[in-house]
Amino acid sequence: MRVKTSQNKTHRKTVRPDVKKQLLKAAKKQFALKGLSGTSIRDIANEAHVNSSMISYYFESKEGLYVECLREIGKNHLKFAKEVLIDVSSLEEFKVRLQMLINNLFSLYTEDRDAGLIIVREYDKIHSPAEKVFKQTFLKIFELLIHYFEMAQKKNFVNNKKDPFILGSLFFGCLSSQMRMDHIKEKAYQRTLKQAEEREKVAQHLVELFLVS
């Protein structure tokens, strides 16, 4: 007896990397501009020049696409932080590595403005579909920074009477505020993080705030 094999075939998604890439790029732009709630599936599809059904096909929903955007943004920055925030033997190396982290996080704003705006908004959210991914990436960077300050305290690079958790919170708060008000500084004073000299000054000042005086 002849068996009809067509009924037994396993249906698998045909993944087109170019379409996924287009959707992620378009979604980041729209989420940065309008936020998650203000962005529609049609907005993203129009921006990507694809059929809106492709969002459901690749990401299941708008929220699924948002989560994937956060994952893509966060994973590379977490990898960088893991490589940079390691045990050091000198004060100079401690400062250099901290400045490297600052410049890497500032690149969210200077090199990928859409990603930077999404992350700043995500910090303000109480509930988010990307909460788990945010914890796995940017909050992991925060935890790595706390451990980095703890290590520095043991070597007397940072005041050991200070709470490393609060130091980490202040550090991230300073970074966030610099990115938030950059457009004001640029408009009013023609100073911006887009300028290499300005980024270097901010990074240097920020690092020195945390050193033992």
Side-chain angles (χ1 to χ4, degrees):
M1 183 177 177
R2 198 172 178 183
V3 180
K4 293 183 179 180
T5 57
S6 60
Q7 293 180 355
N8 300 326
K9 287 182 180 178
T10 301
H11 294 285
R12 296 181 180 177
K13 285 185 178 181
T14 302
V15 178
R16 289 181 53 193
D18 56 325
V19 174
K20 286 191 73 174
K21 189 175 180 180
Q22 282 174 248
L23 284 169
L24 285 165
K25 183 178 179 181
K28 283 200 295 184
K29 183 175 180 179
Q30 291 297 315
F31 289 143
L33 185 66
K34 303 174 183 177
L36 174 60
S37 60
T39 300
S40 69
I41 287 177
R42 185 182 295 275
D43 290 334
I44 298 168
N46 288 343
E47 181 71 32
H49 304 292
V50 300
N51 191 291
S52 59
S53 65
M54 291 292 98
I55 294 175
S56 303
Y57 182 75
Y58 286 113
F59 305 101
E60 296 186 359
S61 64
K62 179 182 73 170
E63 288 73 21
L65 178 51
Y66 181 78
V67 169
E68 193 58 34
C69 283
L70 263 292
R71 182 178 287 110
E72 185 182 70
I73 294 167
K75 65 181 181 181
N76 290 330
H77 292 280
L78 176 58
K79 182 176 182 292
F80 185 87
K82 286 179 176 178
E83 293 171 353
V84 169
L85 299 180
I86 61 174
D87 195 5
V88 298
S89 57
S90 69
L91 174 60
E92 190 58 37
E93 186 180 0
F94 169 77
K95 291 163 60 177
V96 168
R97 288 183 176 277
L98 202 53
Q99 287 178 336
M100 288 170 66
L101 179 69
I102 293 169
N103 289 327
N104 177 260
L105 294 175
F106 274 162
S107 72
L108 277 168
Y109 178 84
T110 59
E111 296 175 20
D112 191 351
R113 181 74 182 275
D114 292 339
L117 290 172
I118 291 171
I119 294 302
V120 168
R121 280 204 180 107
E122 192 65 21
Y123 272 114
D124 295 336
K125 287 184 179 177
I126 298 174
H127 302 291
S128 167
E131 182 177 351
K132 183 178 178 181
V133 170
F134 191 77
K135 286 180 178 179
Q136 293 171 340
T137 53
F138 285 95
L139 285 189
K140 284 294 181 185
I141 297 175
F142 174 63
E143 291 166 10
L144 287 170
L145 183 62
I146 292 171
H147 292 314
Y148 194 63
F149 280 130
E150 288 174 342
M151 176 276 299
Q153 287 178 322
K154 292 175 182 176
K155 301 192 176 186
N156 204 35
F157 301 156
V158 174
N159 191 325
N160 58 21
K161 293 182 180 179
K162 305 297 183 184
D163 185 331
F165 182 89
I166 294 176
L167 291 178
S169 300
L170 290 170
F171 185 90
F172 265 87
C174 289
L175 286 176
S176 178
S177 66
Q178 283 296 312
M179 289 188 279
R180 285 174 183 275
M181 68 178 298
D182 193 68
H183 69 286
I184 298 174
K185 293 195 304 178
E186 183 177 22
K187 185 176 181 180
Y189 306 106
Q190 293 75 54
R191 294 181 64 164
T192 171
L193 293 172
K194 298 170 191 172
Q195 301 161 347
E197 184 180 357
E198 184 71 6
R199 285 198 306 275
E200 186 178 344
K201 283 183 178 179
V202 171
Q204 183 179 355
H205 280 59
L206 184 53
V207 169
E208 289 176 352
L209 284 175
F210 294 91
L211 301 179
V212 172
S213 28

